[in-house]
Structures are given as structure tokens and as C-alpha cells.
Amino acid sequence: MNKRILVTVGTTKFDELINTITTNEVLQELNNQGYNELILQIGKTNFQPNCSSRCGFNNIKAFHLNSSLHEVMKSADLIISHAGAGSCLEALELLKPLIIIINDHLMSNHQLELAKQLYKLGYLYYSNCKGLLKLIQIVNLSKLKPYPGDKSKDIASIIDKIMGYSNF
Amino acid sequence: MVLPLICVLIFPIVILFIIRGTYLILNVNGKKIKKTTQTKPSKTLIVLGSGGHTTEILRIVRHLNKKLYFPRVYVQAQTDDISLMKVKQIEENINDYKIIQISRSREVNQSYFTSIWTTIHAIFQSFPLIWKEKPDLLLCNGPGTCIPPCLVVFFFNSLFLLNTKIIFVESFCRVETFSLSGKILYYIANHTIVQWPLLGGDNYPRSIFVP
């Protein structure tokens, strides 16, 4: 049985994350937990990760960005993502176990607020690159709650109330 | 001869705008939703921000009754093609809607100084647009692009020329603090809808929190 991890950094780049994931310590720990396939979506970068098979991972692939990211997400058993709200929500809506990695070099980033809040509600875990190894050692992904979906429908019914269409 | 005439015309307009604008901000906007019943459809103007903002607002629009919020006019920033694609994905009938372009009030990384010019430009572009469309509802969720059309609608509302409801939905990403557009539209919009408790309740009594 293959268990697949997707690492996604969105449209920007986050070399530190790709670098951390592909260290032998992290790969070994992920393999101990049963994962053996790794797909890296590395974004707009010249950085070339080491994709040789090692530490129990028989398949490590990297690509920059393409339109089939959503399909890859669907096929993943664990998603490790940058803190972009788009990627974050997409993974949660697919009900995938999700670990968000904060980019320490983007200060005063309100996306951190969102990750923290979603962590408090029990939908995901988050960390920075330094804390990633420790996090995957202690974390219990099966404790995450399924994300109930966004509030669009409730917002639409408030708009109905404002406009006087509640009775329709 | 011309100058005094202009003064005589403009002066009362400015005074009326200030008085009625203040009244709207203090006594009308941000109050509890009044119970009303309406059967006529509302012409709806939807401001598309970009990227994540567009995705968020279209998710909401998807849940609105297309016969009641009709026709729909999407206002879009000039530099954004992806938004256009996303609209086409949720709209089925081409006769129900149209898309209009205006310029963007601030590019990512543009300095705040030069953004003043682009904002002023966008305000002047919004005047004919709003006047021509005369929407019943203006729906927006940021970023800066949505401020100029909102200000223009507010101006016309103040002068009793329009009676357009402005609804601002703060982005799901804003958990603890309002965005720049949120800070301004909190006063200008008829209703501000927020998705996290810290942006509502006692901290911000004018907003409507969606639990």
C-alpha cells in the first residue's frame, strides 16, 4: 500500500520548507509512520530538491506548479502546505489531514492568524520549518476534526435577510 | 461669472453630502437588520477583487437565488484574467450577467503614495459606471478595488440619488484584524459581515458575525 504525502507551497516559493522535508531525518520519521511516496510542489524557484529514492521513500517527485494540483491533492494521504488561505481551505475541504508550515521570513502575515485559529478549532496542525520534525514525531493526525465547510451559505442567507428575501 | 455660479451649485451639494453622509454613518449603517419583505428582483453589482477574494465572493454568489439577484453586474480589475474565468464557471446563462472592467486601486507591492493616484482615477471611473448601472445591491469583499465603487455609491446615497445597499463581507482570512478595505467600509457599508468572533460582538458592534 502506497501512502502519499503532498507538499505544496502555492504560487510563490518556500525553499526552506522543501529543504526541510527532504532531509533524511524528516523522511525517515515520515517513513516510520507509514508514508512512502512524496510529491513536492515547489513553486516559482530555481531550487532543485534531491529526489533520489531513500529512507523508505521509493518515489519522490517534484514539479513547479500546474493545473492538476487539485487532482494531486485528492490523491494524497497527508498534505503539508504553506499558510496560504487558498491551499489551506482546499486541503480542508477535501478532508485531508493537514499540516501548515509558517514561513518565518514573512512577518506580520495575517495568514498565521488563520492557521492558529484553525488549529485551535482542531482542523489542522501548524509549525515553522524548525519545528516540523518534532511536530511529526508527536502529532496524532487521526485526532483532527473534519472541516465543516465554509460559511458561504450562511452569509448568503444573511444577505437574503438584508434584502428582504428571507421568505423565498 | 462662471465661478460664483459653480460655487452656488457645488456648495449646497457638498453641505448636503456632509450632513446626510454623517447621518448615514452614525444612524443608518451598521444597525440591526430591519425586517422587510421584497418580491422584486434586485440588480446586484459584485466587485471582484482578485485571486482569493474573487474565489470567496463567488462562493457566496453561488448560493444566492439567481432570479432574485438579477441582473448581476460583475466589476473587475483590469489586470485580472483569472477572475473572469471563475465567473464563467458559476454563471450558466449569458443573458443574466455582464462583466465590466475598472482599474485597480493598488497593485500588490505598489507604494501607498502612487496608489492614491490610482484610487482617485478609479473613483472617477466609478461615477459613470454606478450612475449607469444604478444597482440595488453592491456586494464586495475587498481588497482595495472595492473601495472606489463603494465610496461613489455612498456619495449618491447621501444625495438621495440612489438607494443602494452596500454589503461588505470581510475575508475568511481575517481573524483578528480588519483589512484596509474592512476598516473603511465598516462605516461606509450598510452592513459588514464577518466570519470570526473577534471582528464582531462588543469589539465591533456594527458588524454581523456569522457563527
Side-chain angles (χ1 to χ4, degrees):
Chain A
M1 243 281 281
N2 281 342
K3 276 185 88 182
R4 178 181 281 184
I5 300 171
L6 169 68
V7 179
T8 174
V9 306
T11 48
T12 51
K13 64 171 186 176
F14 191 1
D15 295 347
E16 194 191 353
L17 170 59
I18 302 297
N19 212 357
T20 312
I21 294 281
T22 49
T23 57
N24 288 351
E25 293 91 344
V26 173
L27 287 178
Q28 194 57 60
E29 181 56 39
L30 289 168
N31 184 245
N32 291 347
Q33 302 193 14
Y35 298 97
N36 53 11
E37 233 186 282
L38 178 64
I39 298 182
L40 305 160
Q41 184 266 312
I42 60 178
K44 282 184 196 145
T45 180
N46 296 322
F47 176 74
Q48 280 298 330
N50 174 3
C51 290
S52 58
S53 299
R54 60 190 188 281
C55 307
F57 277 81
N58 45 35
N59 192 359
I60 301 180
K61 269 190 285 196
F63 66 94
H64 292 274
L65 180 66
N66 68 33
S67 52
S68 64
L69 181 59
H70 187 76
E71 297 306 310
V72 183
M73 274 192 168
K74 273 189 197 166
S75 74
D77 299 289
L78 165 65
I79 296 175
I80 299 176
S81 168
H82 76 129
S87 312
C88 204
L89 286 177
E90 206 175 337
L92 288 175
E93 280 170 357
L94 290 170
L95 304 178
K96 298 291 179 183
L98 177 62
I99 296 175
I100 292 294
I101 304 298
I102 306 295
N103 190 343
D104 289 326
H105 301 292
L106 300 174
M107 291 308 275
S108 76
N109 189 340
H110 65 252
Q111 290 177 338
L112 173 60
E113 286 177 18
L114 182 66
K116 266 189 195 165
Q117 202 65 31
L118 292 169
Y119 161 72
K120 275 188 205 159
L121 294 169
Y123 302 136
L124 54 79
Y125 292 106
Y126 79 97
S127 154
N128 56 9
C129 285
K130 273 186 206 134
L132 175 62
L133 179 61
K134 198 147 190 218
L135 180 77
I136 51 181
Q137 281 165 346
I138 56 169
V139 94
N140 184 352
L141 292 169
S142 59
K143 273 193 181 162
L144 289 176
K145 288 183 206 153
Y147 181 65
D150 71 353
K151 299 177 178 183
S152 302
K153 210 173 175 186
D154 303 316
I155 293 170
S157 65
I158 287 177
I159 295 171
D160 280 341
K161 249 191 215 164
I162 293 169
M163 299 307 290
Y165 295 139
S166 297
N167 303 325
F168 285 88
Chain B
M1 197 48 214
V2 181
L3 192 69
L5 196 71
I6 290 173
C7 290
V8 167
L9 280 174
I10 288 179
F11 189 67
I13 293 178
V14 172
I15 293 293
L16 177 62
F17 172 58
I18 291 171
I19 293 174
R20 168 96 163 139
T22 314
Y23 171 78
L24 288 180
I25 288 174
L26 295 177
N27 290 314
V28 177
N29 297 348
K31 298 287 173 202
K32 275 197 174 150
I33 301 169
K34 278 190 198 135
K35 269 196 180 164
T36 50
T37 307
Q38 204 186 182
T39 48
K40 278 196 304 181
S42 298
K43 183 165 188 177
T44 304
L45 207 137
I46 300 148
V47 188
L48 303 176
S50 56
H53 289 277
T54 300
T55 313
E56 270 190 59
I57 199 98
L58 292 180
R59 276 166 181 246
I60 297 165
V61 173
R62 209 188 301 158
H63 291 288
L64 296 176
N65 185 330
K66 292 210 163 53
K67 285 183 188 126
L68 295 172
Y69 297 86
F70 171 86
R72 291 171 298 287
V73 180
Y74 295 92
V75 178
Q76 190 216 15
Q78 254 156 14
T79 45
D80 190 356
D81 292 329
I82 303 162
S83 294
L84 205 125
M85 223 175 62
K86 287 179 183 161
V87 171
K88 284 182 182 156
Q89 276 170 6
I90 70 156
E91 292 283 356
E92 291 135 25
N93 190 342
I94 195 105
N95 299 318
D96 278 5
Y97 76 100
K98 62 176 172 182
I99 301 174
I100 297 174
Q101 313 250 327
I102 61 164
S103 56
R104 219 171 143 148
S105 91
R106 201 170 75 90
E107 291 285 341
V108 176
N109 292 332
Q110 187 185 353
S111 79
Y112 277 95
F113 181 73
T114 56
S115 73
I116 292 173
W117 282 113
T118 25
T119 307
I120 290 171
H121 183 227
I123 290 175
F124 278 100
Q125 270 195 311
S126 300
F127 269 99
L129 166 77
I130 299 292
W131 188 244
K132 192 177 154 235
E133 299 300 337
K134 295 188 179 60
D136 302 301
L137 167 64
L138 177 66
L139 190 60
C140 58
N141 70 337
T145 341
C146 69
I147 299 173
C150 289
L151 287 177
V152 171
V153 165
F154 179 73
F155 178 77
F156 285 136
N157 278 351
S158 301
L159 299 182
F160 301 94
L161 294 171
L162 284 181
N163 187 15
T164 305
K165 287 255 180 347
I166 306 174
I167 300 178
F168 175 74
V169 185
E170 184 56 286
S171 166
F172 179 71
C173 307
R174 307 303 301 216
V175 179
E176 292 168 17
T177 53
F178 272 105
S179 59
L180 176 68
S181 8
K183 278 175 193 148
I184 294 168
L185 296 176
Y186 182 68
Y187 299 98
I188 301 296
N190 294 71
H191 295 284
T192 302
I193 298 175
V194 298
Q195 310 193 38
W196 294 101
L198 283 176
L199 300 182
D202 293 338
N203 300 345
Y204 295 99
R206 299 168 77 105
S207 33
I208 302 166
F209 166 58
V210 186

